[in-house]
């Protein structure tokens, strides 16, 4: 079974949402106008439409008629077909069930903890991993990375140490956010297991 699957929804048939077409068309018109250094008022006047109406078109809130589209294209000195961009596919909605998710070993040692990847992908700005840590296992040395880190404890108690900055005890419901570039490591307090959600967010 796949770790994550597309969640069926009202548009799961593959039909392109009208709103997506409007937004994509509006962006193309705005980009063409900006490239020609035309103000919104100037283009609206040349196309014989009102400026507020052009604003609604460019923002994707209104779909222009074929006649209006031809007027805008003529005012821009373009073919109407040029204004029709490739409409992007809707962003997928991914569902990860409790029993799913890719398991990744944190360290090479036999007693190293593993994490379960809940959400990840090149098109996403964040990765969410679930760590289920028994009392005492080796979970690695100091970690550091780019971006931002959020540590959220859902069960048990964990000590988070940040090199040169301090040490914090996190209990269920507590979270700690910090730049990934700061060297950090965790330790489980006591014999009871702990469950931690790690959110890694790409920045810049």
């Amino acid at each position: 079974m796949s770790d994550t699957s597309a969640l069926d929804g009202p548009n799961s048939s593959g039909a392109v949402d009208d709103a997506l077409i409007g937004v994509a068309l509006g962006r193309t018109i705005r980009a063409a106008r900006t490239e020609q250094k035309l103000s919104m008022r100037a283009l609206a006047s040349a196309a014989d439409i009102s400026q507020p109406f052009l604003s609604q078109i460019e923002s994707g809130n209104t779909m222009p008629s074929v006649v209006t589209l031809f007027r805008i294209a003529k005012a821009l000195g373009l073919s109407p077909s040029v204004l029709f961009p490739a409409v992007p596919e809707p962003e997928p909605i991914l569902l990860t069930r409790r029993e799913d998710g890719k398991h990744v070993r944190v360290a090479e040692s036999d007693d190293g903890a593993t994490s379960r990847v809940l959400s990840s992908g090149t098109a996403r700005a964040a990765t969410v991993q679930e760590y289920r840590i028994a009392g005492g296992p080796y979970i690695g040395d100091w970690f550091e990375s780019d971006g931002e880190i959020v540590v959220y404890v859902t069960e048990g108690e964990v000590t988070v140490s940040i090199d040169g900055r301090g040490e914090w005890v996190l209990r269920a419901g507590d979270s700690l956010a910090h730049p990934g570039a700061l060297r950090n490591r965790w330790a489980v307090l006591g014999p009871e297991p702990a469950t931690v959600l790690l959110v890694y967010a790409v920045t810049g």
Side-chain angles (χ1 to χ4, degrees):
M1 186 172 184
S2 173
D3 296 330
T4 54
S5 58
L7 180 64
D8 291 336
N11 293 324
S12 60
S13 63
V16 178
D17 195 313
D18 289 347
L20 286 176
I21 297 175
V23 170
L25 180 61
R27 288 175 178 171
T28 304
I29 293 172
R30 183 170 63 247
R33 176 178 63 79
T34 302
E35 183 178 351
Q36 296 188 27
K37 296 181 171 57
L38 288 174
S39 67
M40 193 176 292
R41 184 183 299 276
L43 177 57
S45 177
D48 196 25
I49 58 177
S50 70
Q51 182 180 339
F53 186 53
L54 177 59
S55 176
Q56 289 297 308
I57 293 173
E58 289 193 357
S59 65
N61 293 325
T62 298
M63 180 73 75
S65 67
V66 174
V67 173
T68 299
L69 182 62
F70 269 75
R71 287 178 180 172
I72 293 173
K74 183 178 179 180
L76 291 169
L78 300 173
S79 167
S81 61
V82 174
L83 298 180
F84 284 105
V87 179
E89 290 294 324
E91 287 294 322
I93 299 173
L94 301 179
L95 170 67
T96 302
R97 295 293 187 187
R98 182 187 181 96
E99 63 273 14
D100 297 330
K102 180 179 180 182
H103 289 265
V104 179
R105 184 175 290 278
V106 177
E108 295 181 357
S109 63
D110 293 337
D111 61 348
T114 60
S115 71
R116 184 168 69 105
V117 180
L118 303 182
S119 175
S120 181
T122 57
R124 290 169 177 76
T127 296
V128 182
Q129 292 176 272
E130 178 189 63
Y131 288 83
R132 176 72 175 176
I133 312 169
Y138 175 75
I139 62 172
D141 295 315
W142 293 98
F143 290 89
E144 57 184 299
S145 62
D146 298 325
E148 297 288 331
I149 298 292
V150 178
V151 180
Y152 178 76
V153 177
T154 62
E155 180 184 14
E157 296 184 339
V158 175
T159 297
V160 178
S161 301
I162 298 181
D163 193 19
R165 299 293 291 272
E167 185 175 280
W168 294 264
V169 174
L170 304 183
R171 299 178 176 85
D174 294 342
S175 66
L176 180 70
H178 64 84
L182 297 178
R183 295 204 314 153
N184 62 94
R185 63 183 177 188
W186 310 340
V188 178
L189 291 178
E192 298 300 319
T195 303
V196 179
L197 289 182
L198 174 68
V199 182
Y200 165 68
V202 177
T203 58

